[in-house]
Amino acid sequence: MEMTCKEAAAVVEGKIITNVQADAKIKRLVIDSREVVAGDFFIPLPGEHTDGHHFMKEAAEKGAVGCFMNRSAKVDVPEGMCVIQVEDTLQALQKLARAYRLRFNLPVVGVTGSVGKTTTKDLIAAILSARYNVLRTEGNLNNEIGLPLMLSSLSKEVEVAVLEMGMSGRGEIALLAYLAAPSIGVITNIGESHLEMLGSREGIAQAKAELLSALPADGAAIVNAEEALLKPYLKNLKCKVITFGCSPQAAIRCIEVGTKQGAKMVRIEQENYQPIIVEVPLPGRHNLYNLLAAVAVARELGLTNEEIKSGLKRVEISAMRLEMVQLPSGYNIINDAYNASPTSMAAALDVLAEKAGTSGKIAVLGDMLELGEMEVEGHRRIGKLAAKLNLKALLVMGIRAQMIAQAAEEAGLSKERIFSCKSHFAAAKIINRIAQPGDWILLKGSRGMRMEEVLTVLRRELE
């Protein structure tokens, strides 16, 4: 971060109460005192179980040059670093990030959507890296805390930023868009995630569309052509609108043209551009849409077809998103355990069917959380889909996932192939008992279910 503690204080309108190292340059912003190294600036945030203000002294001892401190904090002021008193440390972090972002004149791509935003962000960043030095969201830094931290990583060397924007309620995307000031906005789709907070898919669409409202007149909105719920929000936009999809109505669309060494090949067409034939780097039909959105962004930023092809060879997808793992046992694991909704779980089951072909298929599915009134229907829908796949076994974990099992049995899946597991260990034990080398095993559930731990147990059992 190219800013001094004194400059940070001025930006957030804070009061310097310990002037030590006020002229020191800030290396980076840190919210976890355990990660502090010399030159960092510590942001103490109040949490559910502990208050970051209690760790300011530790941050100073580790070499932090400064920190924010709430006016209401009942702690001693640490020595050895610049302490800036503010009304609210989170708001100060956000204000600092916004001001720092505006120092840079560069394209910023904001990516949101119910399903696929992380994969789309990764695809966009990979393609753009063929020409530009790209900053992309790391891990789960896509919320009101994480996104400001990502913005603090901007530097003169960064030419494009690709930032993921997550949310659970109204107003959250609007805040993130205000902080990041994107010039291009991408909405992948509208699913059922966060129905508990937003009530309906219409409510989710309204919340996601907050990104579109923040785009400048010379910017671009890139949206799913087949997502009817977004259409009302496109009518009065001043910026360019580019739709993507597999339907003829989409501005950028694709046609499947076969396979090459087992990989799906598609022809991408868009008016005023030469068609391009590329390999889809990830399995599943939903990833065709993610690819199209990424290509649309690349073209908006001037990349040639050759650069797009080159960039696609650099794709590195974030962990636990259709991560393919082959174990020494010969099991093929599809680790898609980062999160789940009915939309993403259906897509993952499609990938299981596509990758396994005639080989054995095992689905290990956990609860889908935050579905609100859609909870019963969403789980039962997945059970019906699972029953159509001729699974060798369906393993379920969690109270809600029992509805998946029940619906699958009602739809014709033999009761002998359905297993209810009380732990990740129990699921791994069943897999080891029934799986054969060459079988494909899907791990999928909401983040709170930590379905990736089934893979951890399987690996440990083989050591």
Side-chain angles (χ1 to χ4, degrees):
M1 188 173 193
E2 300 168 2
M3 187 179 284
T4 66
C5 294
K6 186 183 294 184
E7 288 174 316
V11 163
V12 303
E13 300 176 306
K15 179 182 178 182
I16 295 177
I17 58 176
T18 301
N19 204 33
V20 180
Q21 301 204 75
D23 293 318
K25 287 189 176 181
I26 297 170
K27 181 178 179 181
R28 63 173 184 159
L29 304 183
V30 179
I31 60 171
D32 188 336
S33 61
R34 295 168 296 184
E35 298 177 1
V36 170
V37 297
D40 287 348
F41 188 92
F42 180 54
I43 316 285
L45 299 173
E48 285 184 35
H49 305 294
T50 186
D51 188 337
H53 287 86
H54 295 300
F55 303 97
M56 292 191 304
K57 181 180 178 182
E58 177 188 344
E61 291 171 348
K62 288 185 172 183
V65 295
C67 73
F68 290 142
M69 177 180 175
N70 279 353
R71 296 186 196 280
S72 59
K74 306 296 184 184
V75 294
D76 294 332
V77 178
E79 299 178 354
M81 66 178 176
C82 181
V83 179
I84 303 170
Q85 196 174 62
V86 296
E87 290 296 333
D88 182 278
T89 52
L90 175 56
Q91 290 179 10
L93 166 62
Q94 294 167 348
K95 196 169 185 178
L96 180 62
R98 161 78 177 180
Y100 189 65
R101 152 67 184 105
L102 294 181
R103 290 186 174 192
F104 298 89
N105 182 20
L106 80 170
V108 172
V109 184
V111 184
T112 193
S114 296
V115 180
K117 57 183 175 291
T118 301
T119 300
T120 302
K121 173 262 300 182
D122 291 335
L123 286 168
I124 293 170
I127 295 174
L128 294 182
S129 69
R131 176 182 291 192
Y132 298 113
N133 184 4
V134 180
L135 172 70
R136 69 168 177 172
T137 297
E138 299 173 2
N140 61 351
L141 298 179
N142 66 355
N143 59 13
E144 75 281 5
I145 297 171
L147 185 133
L149 294 176
M150 286 306 309
L151 290 173
S152 73
S153 298
L154 288 169
S155 68
K156 294 176 182 177
E157 289 71 37
V158 175
E159 295 173 299
V160 181
V162 184
L163 303 175
E164 182 179 335
M165 298 179 178
M167 61 112 210
S168 58
R170 289 184 181 87
E172 294 176 15
I173 294 293
L175 170 64
L176 301 182
Y178 170 74
L179 299 177
S183 50
I184 297 176
V186 179
I187 301 182
T188 59
N189 51 40
I190 305 300
E192 300 94 346
S193 302
H194 311 301
L195 277 171
E196 192 171 37
M197 292 290 291
L198 291 162
S200 66
R201 289 185 68 242
E202 288 78 7
I204 294 171
Q206 183 180 13
K208 296 294 185 183
E210 292 169 4
L211 173 58
L212 306 180
S213 301
L215 297 173
D218 61 350
I222 298 174
V223 299
N224 192 321
E226 295 159 34
E227 192 53 80
L229 292 177
L230 287 175
K231 290 182 180 179
Y233 302 99
L234 304 178
K235 292 179 180 178
N236 298 318
L237 288 182
K238 295 179 181 179
C239 67
K240 180 191 302 184
V241 176
I242 302 167
T243 58
F244 63 86
C246 295
S247 62
Q249 294 78 24
I252 180 168
R253 55 203 172 274
C254 69
I255 303 168
E256 293 185 35
V257 295
T259 59
K260 181 180 179 181
Q261 296 178 339
K264 186 178 296 181
M265 305 296 294
V266 295
R267 174 187 170 96
I268 297 176
E269 299 176 346
Q270 186 177 5
E271 189 176 354
N272 299 324
Y273 292 92
Q274 285 293 322
I276 179 175
I277 296 177
V278 297
E279 176 184 321
V280 183
L282 296 165
R285 181 174 175 79
H286 61 294
N287 277 315
L288 292 178
Y289 292 79
N290 298 337
L291 172 63
L292 288 170
V295 171
V297 171
R299 285 178 168 170
E300 273 303 292
L301 294 178
L303 269 71
T304 66
N305 281 356
E306 289 308 310
E307 287 173 322
I308 290 170
K309 288 181 179 180
S310 173
L312 279 171
K313 295 177 182 177
R314 310 180 187 199
V315 173
E316 295 180 4
I317 299 302
S318 298
M320 296 189 290
R321 273 91 167 181
L322 292 180
E323 181 181 8
M324 304 293 167
V325 180
Q326 187 172 56
L327 296 178
S329 58
Y331 306 160
N332 300 294
I333 308 294
I334 303 174
N335 182 10
D336 200 40
Y338 183 76
N339 216 337
S341 66
T343 303
S344 66
M345 195 170 274
L349 286 170
D350 284 343
V351 172
L352 174 63
E354 177 185 319
K355 298 296 289 185
T358 58
S359 300
K361 298 180 284 292
I362 298 174
V364 188
L365 309 179
D367 285 355
M368 294 180 285
L369 308 177
E370 299 181 359
L371 294 185
E373 294 179 0
M374 275 281 296
E375 184 172 278
V376 174
E377 190 216 322
H379 285 87
R380 288 188 58 80
R381 188 198 316 167
I382 294 303
K384 293 173 184 177
L385 286 174
K388 296 177 181 179
L389 298 186
N390 190 30
L391 296 174
K392 175 181 282 189
L394 169 64
L395 283 62
V396 297
M397 280 187 60
I399 297 172
R400 298 165 183 83
Q402 304 308 312
M403 292 184 281
I404 297 177
Q406 181 182 0
E409 184 180 351
E410 291 172 1
L413 184 62
S414 170
K415 189 174 183 179
E416 287 70 32
R417 296 188 184 189
I418 301 173
F419 302 85
S420 180
C421 308
K422 293 184 177 180
S423 67
H424 304 98
F425 181 81
K429 283 291 187 184
I430 293 171
I431 291 170
N432 273 330
R433 189 173 78 240
I434 64 177
Q436 299 293 322
D439 284 355
W440 286 81
I441 302 163
L442 169 66
L443 307 179
K444 184 74 173 171
S446 280
R447 184 82 301 268
M449 298 303 295
R450 306 187 310 280
M451 300 302 290
E452 72 278 4
E453 292 186 15
V454 176
L455 176 57
T456 301
V457 176
L458 287 171
R459 280 174 162 154
R460 189 169 64 234
E461 294 277 302
L462 294 167
E463 291 178 353

